Amino acid sequence: MLDLRLIREQPDFVKAEIAKLGEAAPIDEIVELDRRRREILTEVEQLRADRNEGSREIGRKPAGPEREAQISAMRELGDRIEALDAELKEVDDGLDERLMTVPNLPDPDVPVGAGEDENVVLGEFGERRTFDFAPRPHWELGEELGIIDFERGVKISGSRFYLLRGAGARLQRAMISWFLDVHTTEQGFSEVYPPALVRTEALVGTAQIPKFTDAQYKTTTGDHWLVPTAEVPVTNMYAGEILDEAALPIYHCAYSPCFRREQFSAGRDVRGIKRGHQFDKVELVKFVHPEQSNDELYKLLNQASLLLDRLEIPYRHLQMCTGDLSFVAAKKIDIEVWAPGCDEWLEVSSCSNFRDFQARRAGIRFRPEAGGANQFVHTLNGSALALPRMMIAVIENYQNEDGSITIPDVLRPYMGSVERIEPA
RNA sequence: GGAGAGGUGGCCGAGUGGUUUAAGGCGGCUGUCUUGAAAACAGUUGGGCGUUCAUCGCGUCCCGGGGGUUCGAAUCCCUCCCUCUCCGCCA
């Protein structure tokens, strides 16, 4: 959510920034509703002050005609307040509804562009392996090795579901453990195991609702939604709280399954485990002082990337242009790994600075040590990393000509010292 | 799932319709005293919104959330959420 004061004072600036995103937002309506809201508020609060005073007098008066007259005068006042309140509620609801649909504004240094073609590669890291045979896609290798079972996944749960089996299941688990261990022991992240079911309120806080309600799974038994990412429960840990400035920055990492109802375009990304309704992810979430958020974004990017350095998997950093920014991000940089079998770059992380956009919705503030008004924190998050695509990257980059897969050195301690996955 | 008891400021806790504009205590902050500290004493104490260039000030709202009754609600009513106790069920 944007600061209403910013929209009120600089509507033209806000409109121009949103135009860069290729989006539209009802800024004029918001300005008018805000004006009307304050107008009503001034009037109704004055009436309320009058009634408070009048009612106090009644309490002090003895029974009698004078008291009765005062009561009926106050009753009349009350009717006017009630009418104005109703109007105020309507204006308030309309204002909230519209504010919730306004996207975050891009940082000044985000390249302006119409769409994904204008994203900017910031750097490419690691050596792409040269194969002396034709590298094969993970769906072939995984099936042959018996570590990915597509058929049975579909039988149980429908299209886009699969099972990992044996060494495949263990490889994913090894990565999850190793990722978390690096974050917690070296990078200062505090591990969290969050709920996978959350209330509507939480999804509103991180801005999946109302804009992306259709992409969420809802339970039928109560106010519970399946989390699309650990970002939701972890960011909402501090919802409605006022933190001490000294507590910042707060770093959390969390492993969780993620559930997304998105409508996949038929015929696209159908093969393999690249895109599904359920996947695992280790997520990094930061709560930082506003002045630090830009630096923290690059730090976050490096904290996620160092996993790939150590896995010796080639990757690149891709900065989103304005036209490809998400609804919530002020700045977003993706990490993509090279998958030689699929012959494409795969997004394994999106590192985003949301500035105060989520904090404002969720009500996450801090008390400045120097005094003055409480401020909203800045929130950031990024995957480190998304598991299915990391499975693809390991399988395809570490494949051997005979169809076996060498286990990367850093993962071997987590694999019971197994060095290779071979056909059973 | 059944029965019962509760939810008041950073914390404890009083308050069942009108000087409670939330008593009192603890903690925090500021001051006096002190070389310094402790103790004592005095003062102070949260959040949102509006008004204001801004501070101050003023107003309004907030006693778990939402709604209602009333001239007036922490207090009465409805509803939802949460906590605790006992029973039942259960990885």
Side-chain angles (χ1 to χ4, degrees), chain A residues 315-326:
Chain A
Y315 64 95
R316 65 179 190 180
H317 291 164
L318 188 67
Q319 174 157 22
M320 301 298 109
C321 70
T322 53
D324 207 20
L325 271 182
S326 70

Side-chain angles (χ1 to χ4, degrees), chain A residues 48-70:
Chain A
R48 230 183 272 278
D50 294 346
R51 184 179 66 180
N52 285 346
E53 177 52 31
S55 292
R56 266 193 290 270
E57 281 172 18
I58 292 171
R60 292 190 288 261
K61 275 184 182 159
E66 206 181 311
R67 190 172 190 270
E68 289 309 312
Q70 177 86 337

Side-chain angles (χ1 to χ4, degrees), chain A residues 64-82:
Chain A
E66 206 181 311
R67 190 172 190 270
E68 289 309 312
Q70 177 86 337
I71 286 176
S72 75
M74 287 305 108
R75 185 176 295 140
E76 201 174 301
L77 237 186
D79 290 343
R80 286 171 61 199
I81 290 171
E82 196 175 344

